[in-house]
Amino acid sequence: MEKKQFSFSYIVIFIVILGLLFLPQLFSSEVRIKILNIFRVPLKVSSGIFYVLRDVSRFKELRDENKILRDNLSSLKKEMLNLQEAGLENQRLKDLLGFRDKEKRKFIPAMVIARDPLGLHDTIIIDKGKRDEVSKDMVVISGNGLVGRVRECGWSISRVLLITDCDSVLSAIVQRTREEGAVIGTRSGIIMKYLELDSSVKEGDRVMTSGFGDVFEKGILIGEVSSIEKDSSSLYMKAMIKPEVDIARLEEVLVIR
Amino acid sequence: MFFIWLILAGLLQLTFVMDLNLFVLLAVFPGLRKGPFAGLLMGAVTGIFVGFISASHFAVNIALYSLVGFLSGAVRAHIYYKENIFMEFVFSFCGVIIFYSAYFILTNTVKSSIFSTALFSAALSPLIFKIVKI
């Protein structure tokens, strides 16, 4: 009887080892996202419940926020009128000079329906996929700021790698000084590395995507410099960046097509 | 029935931003109740499921959940174990700590609040074990 139990144990261990060796090859990231796609509807329902519960608990905060936004709205309306005037003037001048407009970007609105279950990676799942013409490496934004890029794409859901994830690296530029660097995600936030030692970057400077590389187009706002210090190697400066988007509270995003 | 709990745990972990790891509890439970090999097997199943739904390393998930399930059963078999809330708390707490520590060693990826995750998960373990037992 004991011998039988032992042989069963060996079989189980053997199967687990085989699984460890071959399953990752069998189930590539594409297969995994397809399997996760099955859970799209229950995920949408449970995330909907979560957002409602969260909004109810933040009722007072939302009411105050609503009041501030209403105040801001009137001043923004005035500003919009001025900008419309400037836009018309800009168009007339462009026509005069024979400038051609760039192809206009298209946005696909998507809802955040899930996050990484273990809290080890900064990724989100959105409810748009290949069916909605979303594809790998498309840029994801929210409001004015950069959120990340599509990492895996299923039929009706996609996994987005956030800019705060440790695997996220992108080329960036400081808006005021035009200095370039690499924006890297860390567990404690995002950092802009490889700024020169005599860099004039200061707190409050805005950091945007530089457009180098194939993924991120130029001019998407990443965030503001919150502090700047020498790197531990003392070969360059690094700037801590406060992301423009509140990554922890993302509910809706826009995928740039 | 185990698969239903696994899917429910998956939906909760994916949607609600919580300092919890319900999957470790689902790997510890069979180890405590049925022994190390049941823990190993169910841990492997849990690891495969987590591999599908998360962006983390597939093989590392299978290995670590199997390890946690196996260890809970093996340790339980070699010590005086009385089924009570305290023991469930201790096993679950250690399970979460072992999981995240080993994950860090293997992949250099660290979770910011391991201790609180372990504490909350362990605090919830008696309730989860009771539900899963039914």
Side-chain angles (χ1 to χ4, degrees):
Chain A
M1 185 68 184
E2 207 169 278
K3 207 177 171 187
K4 214 173 181 182
Q5 200 178 354
F6 248 104
S7 58
F8 173 72
S9 319
Y10 284 125
I11 292 167
V12 171
I13 293 171
F14 182 69
I15 291 168
V16 170
I17 292 169
L18 268 183
L20 287 176
L21 289 172
F22 294 112
L23 279 177
Q25 272 81 38
L26 268 174
F27 299 113
S28 62
S29 60
E30 219 166 274
V31 177
R32 286 159 69 178
I33 196 83
K34 275 178 191 162
I35 290 169
L36 189 59
N37 212 135
I38 300 165
F39 297 105
R40 184 180 183 265
V41 175
L43 278 175
K44 273 196 98 164
V45 172
S46 53
S47 61
I49 296 167
F50 172 65
Y51 292 144
V52 169
L53 288 175
R54 197 173 68 176
D55 287 349
V56 168
S57 66
R58 287 174 56 218
F59 179 72
K60 197 185 171 302
E61 197 184 320
L62 287 173
R63 201 177 55 184
D64 295 343
E65 194 180 288
N66 189 32
K67 201 178 166 227
I68 296 164
L69 289 172
R70 275 174 190 276
D71 293 343
N72 285 347
L73 189 67
S74 55
S75 61
L76 284 171
K77 271 182 183 168
K78 279 178 207 160
E79 205 172 312
M80 199 176 76
L81 280 173
N82 292 338
L83 286 172
Q84 272 173 347
E85 278 301 312
L88 287 170
E89 189 183 294
N90 188 24
Q91 192 58 51
R92 277 198 307 274
L93 292 171
K94 269 183 179 172
D95 290 344
L96 223 75
L97 291 167
F99 265 45
R100 265 193 198 171
D101 268 341
K102 275 185 194 172
E103 197 189 332
K104 279 195 178 161
R105 294 188 300 190
K106 283 180 183 165
F107 299 100
I108 306 163
M111 191 178 148
V112 178
I113 55 169
R115 288 172 181 276
D116 188 67
L118 303 178
L120 286 161
H121 295 272
D122 282 335
T123 55
I124 53 169
I125 307 286
I126 55 169
D127 67 340
K128 293 283 153 66
K130 284 176 187 162
R131 186 180 64 178
D132 313 281
E133 294 178 45
V134 173
S135 60
K136 202 184 163 191
D137 284 338
M138 276 186 175
V139 178
V140 181
I141 59 165
S142 175
N144 290 327
L146 182 66
V147 169
R149 67 183 162 90
V150 176
R151 189 188 204 179
E152 292 158 15
C153 201
W155 177 243
S156 58
I157 62 164
S158 302
R159 180 174 273 131
V160 176
L161 181 76
L162 302 175
I163 48 169
T164 47
D165 188 84
C166 304
D167 290 342
S168 167
V169 183
L170 58 124
S171 174
I173 193 166
V174 179
Q175 192 183 36
R176 186 179 58 87
T177 61
R178 314 311 289 171
E179 284 172 84
E180 284 164 26
V183 167
I184 296 162
T186 66
R187 296 302 301 177
S188 51
I190 47 176
I191 296 173
M192 186 174 189
K193 278 187 166 184
Y194 311 119
L195 292 166
E196 286 185 19
L197 284 172
D198 58 349
S199 161
S200 58
V201 175
K202 59 181 185 187
E203 218 178 292
D205 277 347
R206 291 176 142 208
V207 178
M208 339 262 290
T209 51
S210 69
F212 297 133
D214 294 331
V215 181
F216 298 99
E217 60 184 85
K218 193 178 177 177
I220 305 171
L221 184 60
I222 300 171
E224 268 182 16
V225 174
S226 59
S227 65
I228 183 157
E229 61 188 61
K230 224 178 228 181
D231 186 73
S232 54
S233 64
S234 296
L235 293 170
Y236 55 85
M237 303 291 281
K238 63 175 183 184
M240 309 296 160
I241 296 166
K242 185 177 171 275
E244 177 69 15
V245 178
D246 187 358
I247 298 283
R249 282 188 175 173
L250 278 175
E251 283 183 28
E252 291 97 18
V253 292
L254 294 169
V255 183
I256 303 177
R257 189 145 59 97
Chain B
M1 198 61 193
F2 184 79
F3 291 101
I4 294 170
W5 294 126
L6 204 56
I7 290 168
L8 276 176
L11 284 175
L12 281 172
Q13 292 270 172
L14 277 163
T15 319
F16 293 82
V17 186
M18 308 182 284
D19 260 354
L20 280 178
N21 192 329
L22 298 173
F23 302 119
V24 169
L25 303 186
L26 289 179
V28 167
F29 179 77
L32 286 181
R33 291 287 183 277
K34 307 249 167 165
F37 292 103
L40 182 91
L41 199 67
M42 289 303 157
V45 172
T46 308
I48 292 168
F49 180 74
V50 176
F52 283 137
I53 63 168
S54 77
S56 50
H57 298 263
F58 202 86
V60 176
N61 272 316
I62 305 170
L64 292 185
Y65 284 108
S66 308
L67 178 78
V68 168
F70 180 80
L71 279 180
S72 63
V75 173
R76 180 210 182 280
H78 288 94
I79 60 158
Y80 169 71
Y81 180 84
K82 201 181 168 195
E83 205 179 297
N84 60 27
I85 289 173
F86 176 72
M87 287 304 240
E88 287 170 351
F89 180 91
V90 171
F91 272 79
S92 306
F93 184 84
C94 294
V96 177
I97 296 284
I98 289 169
F99 174 80
Y100 283 113
S101 309
Y103 199 96
F104 172 65
I105 293 164
L106 292 171
T107 66
N108 209 23
T109 311
V110 65
K111 184 177 161 62
S112 49
S113 50
I114 297 176
F115 189 77
S116 64
T117 306
L119 206 63
F120 291 140
S121 306
L124 215 69
S125 62
L127 178 72
I128 300 285
F129 288 177
K130 271 211 168 64
I131 296 168
V132 176
K133 212 171 156 183
I134 298 163

